[in-house]
Amino acid sequence: MKKVIVVGGGAAGMVAALTAANHGATVMLTEKMPRLGKKLSITGKGRGNLTNMAGIDEFIKNTPGNGAFLYGALNKFPNTAVIEMFGELNVPTKIERGGRVFPVSDRAIDLVEALGKALRAKEVAVVTDTKVERLIVADGKVCGVATKNGEYYAADAVVLAAGGASYPATGSSGDGARMAKAAGHTIQPLLPALVPLETEEDWVKETAGLTLKNVRVTLMVDGKKERSLFGEMLFTHFGVSGPVILSLSRAAVFALCAEKPVEIEIDLKPALDERTLDARIVRDLAAHNRQSAKNALVDLLPGKIILPTLDAAYIDAAKTAGQISKRERIRLVKSVKALPLTITAHRPFTEAIVTAGGVTVKEINPKTMESKIVQGLYFAGEVMDIDAYTGGFNLQAAFSTGFVAGRAAATQSAFV
């Protein structure tokens, strides 16, 4: 019977350990935090967005960080398998807007508890409060792991599922990348992805807390359109956040690291073309002819965003609506359709949902998740250079790679 050690008790690690046990291995799961699945327990704002009902091609499209690498894993353990697994663990699920899948209970902790119960039922040895410091490798094969306390554990196979560097309070601090590098792997630089962005403009502080729904945000890099998304965003005291911003942030982070100028343009009225919007503004200005320009736009825009929009159009907010010229009105239309913000920085790893970068996938067999460099070493989850947009895509990647790695670690021929 093969002995498998899984390093990291997050989503990928727990599924890897459970799968290895289901395939006949003796399994030990190590976790440096006091309990398993701390990051999983806060996913989906605590509601547990465990996967998405999109097809495999759509999954890959929503995984800008090496999505094609996941093709085999997603086929072997797709979203339907994840839903079935949790159904068997007495966690029924439901589908919401955008194909997002959640537990019926709206409790992410239920996912963690269900996996923990399953691990105990399969007699997986779960060791918490134990930090694995390094992999033990001899003659190109992994032989086990060494902990920070100087303990050694022998194994026939090791699954490294120690996560990325985002949300370090949950235990993700880049340990997996460090250990993989020491074992000879190439590491792509770790960068925060799905992260809020900071802006140069001070007016965002006055709009902090304002959520804009049904807007279109376009990311501009070096003056060129990079990507455009429709949805919801949020203003904060430092800049912008919310689902659309998070999904655009990966490209923004990479551009900032390359020292390229980064901006976003917010279309506050994406349902109206410029001609229709102009006609609407003409009516509003006429209806509020003697009021200030600011008060004349209350039916068109949220109050907190009116002044920045007027400023972007170079219109004095104290002017009466009747004093606004046609040229100013044309600028106002442009401003409403493309309110600009200059992105100066991204927020730190402590606020990032996932990590871009990690063990390069070129050195991993996509069919088994086994290292091409160290025999018997497997990878699962965010420790690899894989990252996706919001909506359940990252967790599905963790579950799929965890399943493939756990099965291969348990069933591939014992090493001689």
Side-chain angles (χ1 to χ4, degrees):
M1 186 179 289
K2 287 185 69 175
K3 183 170 184 181
V4 176
I5 293 176
V6 179
V7 180
M14 285 190 285
V15 169
L18 182 59
T19 304
N22 284 336
H23 284 82
T26 299
V27 184
M28 181 172 79
L29 174 62
T30 69
E31 168 55 46
K32 73 176 184 179
M33 302 298 285
R35 59 185 174 85
L36 299 178
K38 193 167 182 183
K39 189 174 179 182
L40 177 57
S41 69
I42 61 173
T43 185
K45 297 180 180 177
R47 295 180 57 222
N49 182 191
L50 64 149
T51 187
N52 193 289
M53 291 310 297
I56 289 176
D57 288 343
E58 196 64 24
F59 258 94
I60 291 171
K61 194 182 296 183
N62 278 278
T63 308
N66 295 305
F69 175 83
L70 292 174
Y71 190 83
L74 291 170
N75 269 290
K76 289 172 183 172
F77 199 67
N79 45 17
T80 51
V82 170
I83 291 167
E84 183 180 341
M85 175 181 71
F86 281 109
E88 291 173 354
L89 298 179
N90 297 313
V91 183
T93 56
K94 59 183 178 179
I95 303 168
E96 295 190 1
R97 179 179 55 85
R100 290 169 165 83
V101 180
F102 293 87
V104 169
S105 65
D106 283 330
R107 285 167 36 96
I109 193 65
D110 289 351
L111 304 173
V112 179
E113 291 176 351
L115 288 170
K117 185 177 179 181
L119 290 167
R120 290 191 294 274
K122 295 302 294 187
E123 298 183 346
V124 171
V126 176
V127 183
T128 55
D129 275 319
T130 299
K131 181 181 179 181
V132 171
E133 190 66 27
R134 63 184 176 89
L135 304 168
I136 303 171
V137 178
D139 299 322
K141 304 175 190 174
V142 72
C143 307
V145 301
T147 70
K148 189 177 181 181
N149 296 332
E151 299 163 313
Y152 292 83
Y153 296 96
D156 299 304
V158 173
V159 179
L160 189 56
S166 54
Y167 282 152
T170 66
S172 300
S173 55
D175 289 339
R178 177 184 55 75
M179 285 187 276
K181 184 177 182 180
H185 275 275
T186 304
I187 307 301
Q188 298 301 323
L190 304 185
L191 295 170
L194 298 183
V195 66
L197 300 173
E198 298 181 7
T199 62
E200 181 180 285
E201 291 79 4
D202 283 336
W203 62 257
V204 296
K205 295 175 183 176
E206 304 301 320
T207 60
L210 173 65
T211 295
L212 296 179
K213 296 183 178 181
N214 304 319
V215 294
R216 178 165 291 280
V217 182
T218 300
L219 178 69
M220 306 293 292
V221 175
D222 214 1
K224 298 174 183 176
K225 178 180 173 181
E226 180 77 16
R227 191 164 183 248
S228 184
L229 287 176
F230 176 85
E232 183 178 313
M233 66 169 289
L234 168 72
F235 289 99
T236 70
H237 66 282
F238 56 77
V240 286
S241 187
V244 169
I245 299 299
L246 295 179
S247 289
L248 292 173
S249 65
R250 183 185 195 274
V253 169
F254 276 77
L256 288 167
C257 288
E259 298 185 348
K260 294 180 180 179
V262 180
E263 294 180 321
I264 60 169
E265 293 178 350
I266 308 167
D267 184 346
L268 299 167
K269 292 293 175 181
L272 305 178
D273 60 27
E274 289 193 5
R275 181 177 293 182
T276 307
L277 176 60
D278 185 43
R280 165 70 190 273
I281 290 175
V282 167
R283 290 198 303 272
D284 283 0
L285 295 179
H288 302 277
N289 190 46
R290 295 186 179 182
Q291 295 184 14
S292 68
K294 179 184 176 184
N295 290 334
L297 297 177
V298 291
D299 296 331
L300 180 69
L301 300 172
K304 286 184 176 181
I305 206 72
I306 292 176
L307 275 179
T309 306
L310 287 169
D311 285 344
Y314 302 102
I315 297 174
D316 184 352
K319 264 190 174 183
T320 64
Q323 291 175 317
I324 293 178
S325 67
K326 181 179 179 181
R327 182 174 293 178
E328 287 175 320
R329 198 182 73 237
I330 290 170
R331 291 203 304 264
L332 179 58
V333 169
K334 300 288 186 186
S335 178
V336 172
K337 295 295 287 181
L339 182 63
L341 277 170
T342 306
I343 305 301
T344 55
H346 57 76
R347 297 298 281 177
F349 266 119
T350 51
E351 297 176 38
I353 296 175
V354 297
T355 304
V359 181
T360 181
V361 296
K362 294 177 182 178
E363 298 171 357
I364 303 169
N365 184 338
K367 295 180 179 178
T368 61
M369 299 298 143
E370 186 179 16
S371 165
K372 293 179 181 179
I373 294 172
V374 180
Q375 194 175 8
L377 174 61
Y378 299 80
F379 297 97
E382 208 177 337
V383 70
M384 296 183 283
D385 183 17
I386 297 169
D387 63 282
Y389 298 131
T390 57
F393 301 105
N394 285 290
L395 263 183
Q396 177 65 50
F399 292 138
S400 293
T401 56
F403 173 85
V404 171
R407 185 173 69 174
T411 60
Q412 283 195 303
S413 300
F415 313 116
V416 196

